[in-house]
Amino acid sequence: MWVLCHMELRDMLQSLQFDNSFVRRLPADPEVGARRRQVHKALYSRVAPTQVKSPRLIAYSREVTALVGIDEADTAAPHFAHVFGGNVLLDGMQPYAANYGGHQFGHWAGQLGDGRAITLGETLNAQGERWELQLKGAGPTPYSRTADGRAVLRSSIREFLCSEAMHHLGVPTTRALSLVATGEPVVRDMFYDGRAAPEPGAIVCRVAPSFIRFGNFELPAARGDTDLLRQLVYFTITRDFPELLIDGVPPIAEAQHAAWFMTVCERTARLVAHWMRVGFVHGVMNTDNMSIIGLTIDYGPYGWVDNFDLEWTPNTTDAENRRYRFGQQPQIAYWNLTRLANALLPLFATDALLQAGLEKYVQTFDATYREHIAAKLGLAKCSEDDVEMMHSLYGLLQSAEVDMTLFFRALSGVNPAAPDLALFAHAFYDERKRTAAAPDFTAWLCRYGARIQADALAPDARVTRMQRANPRYVLRNYLAQLAIERAEQGDDTGVHELLEVLRRPYDDQPGRDAFSERRPDWARERAGCSMLSCSS
Ligand code: AMP
Ligand code: MG
């Protein structure tokens, strides 16, 4: 392992303070380096990023530079791309890959681990906040199995943009500091049809308080290593859930473990309720892709709902069973929590407290879902009747193929005394379906108009509430794809434009109508626009 520290670099990024608690406090694999192996009795392996040919900064998030305490001016220096392309380690960085397992598509998959993610270190900013910096696509690790540890530009653009878009939408997520082109090709068989081809490579530096996943707990549990499991739980509670700590009492008692599991259940419930609110489909909700602190993590073949469809999955690998379809995400999150509960069972005398946590998931999801219904429809509070009204709307949107984002955004413009379906003409994908569904929609709008006239919320407050819950701009799959195609031709401005627009998803942005239009017909069946392969 090497540390290279130019004077210039030291000056530039000198404000970064590292406090690498994960590597300091948890057991390491004694072997250093990327030799592929099964790693027992250790939660991570020390491994450095592999150098790349010519790192070039494509984009960065100014909010995230501020968050971790990097001076925005530093991003302009060529060294910045070297650091966040993995060529240079700063003083204080201690790179590692985490060891975890997971259930993939419902089946236990054994050891997975960070196969292409390498954490550089944990920074502490001036406010004392901890932000872990992790490169994705930084080269092989012991967990890379048969793969190359790299990432292609298209998937890196998607991860970079969506991380930031989700944050600005108010959805808990890992963040993205930078997107760096490596200058090296990466070979991928994008359609899994034997036509492997080189594509440009890239590296995203993602940022979060913690990258621990459900799968980090599942692996030691599956191996019967209760000591290691216990150490990880202790570490996670003390570092990532300080609000649960009672002064001077180490979190080792069953009651403390139970309170923690319950908090994980609550956070997961709120996370998934947000996904349902904004029309986000994760696409690969395997337990290794579930964050223990309730963030959206691992942006792969995710997608945004255009025409409302609870059956839709963007992931081609999942096309047959649709396990991870839009409408099933709440149930899958619950199932994933049952896997986590099962892993934690050795720390409990009986499963009663874990069951209580799972019950809390159901309650929290239900309560949050109702809050979101109230906000999306512009109601002071959501009654049983309102839930039914929303579900009947979902039925209409689905069968008439209506754009989710456009419909809800337009809904705040309804005149409750005289609702008019013409307001929604731009949200329909199929004219014939629109004509056929018009009477049902009109009836629904009349019901809705009567409901909001009877509601306690004043009209102005209602519109404001709705416009904070129903975004105008989301990262539609085809928009990301257009930016990707431009970037692959050497033009990064599409990425910059999207990043800028998505910083204010709830504001009407004059001159930016092109970013809030429904999916064009050409994008309906095109790769990258409706269906995505896992190849990344
Ligand atoms: P995912 O479905 O993207 O969450 O990936 C599942 C597992 O495969 C994780 O352990 C990843 O680190 C690993 N993986 C995915 N792509 C690569 C790659 N190109 N090189 C090495 N490991 C990878
Ligand atoms: Mg993953």
Side-chain angles (χ1 to χ4, degrees):
M1 193 163 312
W2 37 268
V3 174
L4 208 156
C5 207
H6 290 248
M7 279 314 287
E8 220 175 331
L9 261 177
R10 196 194 296 269
D11 290 349
M12 261 179 24
L13 295 166
Q14 66 185 350
S15 48
L16 289 182
Q17 296 291 321
F18 289 95
D19 175 50
N20 304 319
S21 59
F22 196 94
V23 297
R24 189 176 66 245
R25 291 176 50 193
L26 293 170
D29 172 6
E31 183 176 335
V32 173
R35 187 182 68 81
R36 316 299 205 262
R37 55 192 182 266
Q38 289 290 310
V39 175
H40 293 268
K41 299 195 176 308
L43 292 163
Y44 67 94
S45 304
R46 295 183 188 272
V47 59
T50 302
Q51 286 194 302
V52 297
K53 203 166 127 210
S54 46
R56 183 180 68 82
L57 183 67
I58 297 175
Y60 69 93
S61 159
R62 64 181 111 137
E63 288 84 5
V64 181
T65 55
L67 212 56
V68 300
I70 293 175
D71 185 341
E72 207 181 323
D74 290 350
T75 60
H79 306 294
F80 186 86
H82 278 280
V83 173
F84 294 104
N87 279 2
V88 173
L89 293 177
L90 298 176
D91 260 347
M93 286 180 171
Q94 292 177 292
Y96 76 88
N99 187 11
Y100 53 80
H103 278 83
Q104 299 187 314
F105 296 93
H107 304 283
W108 175 242
Q111 177 183 300
L112 296 167
D114 286 329
R116 55 172 165 175
I118 295 181
T119 286
L120 297 174
E122 302 165 35
T123 60
L124 288 179
N125 69 12
Q127 292 75 48
E129 293 168 349
R130 183 178 302 275
W131 294 102
E132 185 166 332
L133 308 180
Q134 184 178 82
L135 301 184
K136 182 165 173 180
T141 78
Y143 310 101
S144 300
R145 292 173 287 161
T146 58
D148 58 6
R150 291 296 183 193
V152 291
L153 179 62
R154 61 184 154 78
S155 69
S156 305
I157 290 176
R158 284 167 49 82
E159 172 135 19
F160 176 80
L161 286 176
C162 203
S163 307
E164 292 306 285
M166 291 286 263
H167 167 75
H168 294 296
L169 283 164
V171 182
T173 178
T174 60
R175 304 292 301 272
L177 169 68
S178 56
L179 170 63
V180 170
T182 60
E184 292 180 2
V186 174
V187 176
R188 289 289 180 272
D189 182 359
M190 183 155 81
F191 301 107
Y192 299 118
D193 61 359
R195 288 186 299 162
E199 297 185 45
I203 297 175
V204 171
C205 178
R206 43 185 197 183
V207 174
S210 168
F211 284 97
I212 297 174
R213 303 139 189 274
F214 291 8
N216 294 68
F217 302 90
E218 287 180 278
L219 185 61
R223 289 170 167 173
D225 193 343
T226 306
D227 273 354
L228 197 60
L229 173 69
R230 208 181 284 283
Q231 282 184 69
L232 182 62
V233 169
Y234 185 93
F235 173 80
T236 304
I237 298 175
T238 51
R239 190 191 68 171
D240 296 335
F241 294 81
E243 71 278 12
L244 298 179
L245 293 174
I246 308 162
D247 262 353
V249 183
I252 50 172
E254 197 183 56
Q256 293 161 301
H257 292 157
W260 166 65
F261 179 67
M262 192 173 268
T263 305
V264 174
C265 290
E266 285 176 313
R267 290 202 196 177
T268 305
R270 280 196 225 105
L271 172 70
V272 178
H274 273 295
W275 291 355
M276 303 311 287
R277 171 176 68 84
V278 298
F280 175 80
V281 189
H282 183 285
V284 205
M285 290 177 72
N286 294 331
T287 55
D288 52 304
N289 292 338
M290 296 291 293
S291 146
I292 201 72
I293 59 170
L295 305 177
T296 313
I297 192 171
D298 273 6
Y299 291 92
Y302 69 82
W304 290 84
V305 170
D306 292 310
N307 53 298
F308 185 89
D309 185 358
L310 292 167
E311 301 300 311
W312 182 64
T313 174
N315 182 354
T316 48
T317 310
D318 193 27
E320 199 174 327
N321 296 320
R322 296 178 183 265
R323 178 180 173 85
Y324 298 140
R325 62 187 179 267
F326 182 38
Q328 189 154 265
Q329 297 188 117
Q331 286 81 350
I332 292 292
Y334 180 91
W335 188 84
N336 288 343
L337 284 163
T338 69
R339 296 304 84 206
L340 177 62
N342 195 54
L344 299 176
L345 201 50
L347 308 185
F348 289 81
T350 72
D351 66 2
L353 294 171
L354 291 163
Q355 287 295 348
L358 293 171
E359 185 50 40
K360 189 74 171 185
Y361 171 86
V362 177
Q363 290 163 9
T364 309
F365 181 81
D366 191 57
T368 313
Y369 183 66
R370 281 161 184 262
E371 275 169 34
H372 291 168
I373 289 178
K376 285 182 85 69
L377 296 179
L379 309 170
K381 253 186 88 180
C382 174
S383 70
E384 218 42 65
D385 230 28
D386 299 329
V387 175
E388 196 282 317
M389 180 167 68
M390 185 62 133
H391 288 171
S392 83
L393 174 61
Y394 283 161
L396 293 176
L397 295 176
Q398 173 130 4
S399 61
E401 260 184 66
V402 185
D403 190 88
M404 178 181 179
T405 305
L406 291 175
F407 184 91
F408 280 103
R409 186 68 182 187
L411 193 59
S412 62
V414 162
N415 173 357
D420 183 359
L421 187 56
L423 194 62
F424 302 93
H426 64 302
F428 284 79
Y429 282 94
D430 184 320
E431 270 310 297
R432 268 189 309 177
K433 288 190 175 171
R434 181 169 79 96
T435 312
D440 290 342
F441 266 100
T442 303
W444 188 89
L445 286 171
C446 289
R447 174 183 178 186
Y448 173 65
R451 171 66 184 87
I452 53 179
Q453 280 180 296
D455 194 76
L457 221 53
D460 280 1
R462 183 179 75 243
V463 171
T464 307
R465 175 152 216 221
M466 292 174 81
Q467 295 202 344
R468 292 278 128 220
N470 299 313
R472 172 171 293 285
Y473 304 97
V474 296
L475 184 59
R476 289 179 187 272
N477 312 307
Y478 88 89
L479 289 173
Q481 185 60 23
L482 290 176
I484 288 166
E485 286 168 16
R486 281 166 69 184
E488 286 176 341
Q489 301 305 313
D491 170 12
D492 302 334
T493 53
V495 175
H496 302 152
E497 280 166 20
L498 269 176
L499 180 63
E500 196 53 33
V501 172
L502 295 168
R503 291 176 67 231
R504 293 184 293 121
Y506 298 106
D507 293 355
D508 293 329
Q509 301 180 36
R512 288 177 167 161
D513 291 349
F515 297 95
S516 64
E517 276 160 13
R518 66 173 186 235
R519 177 198 58 218
D521 280 343
W522 60 258
R524 202 183 171 91
E525 306 297 338
R526 180 147 148 206
C529 299
S530 57
M531 292 298 275
L532 288 126
S533 91
C534 272
S535 138
S536 57

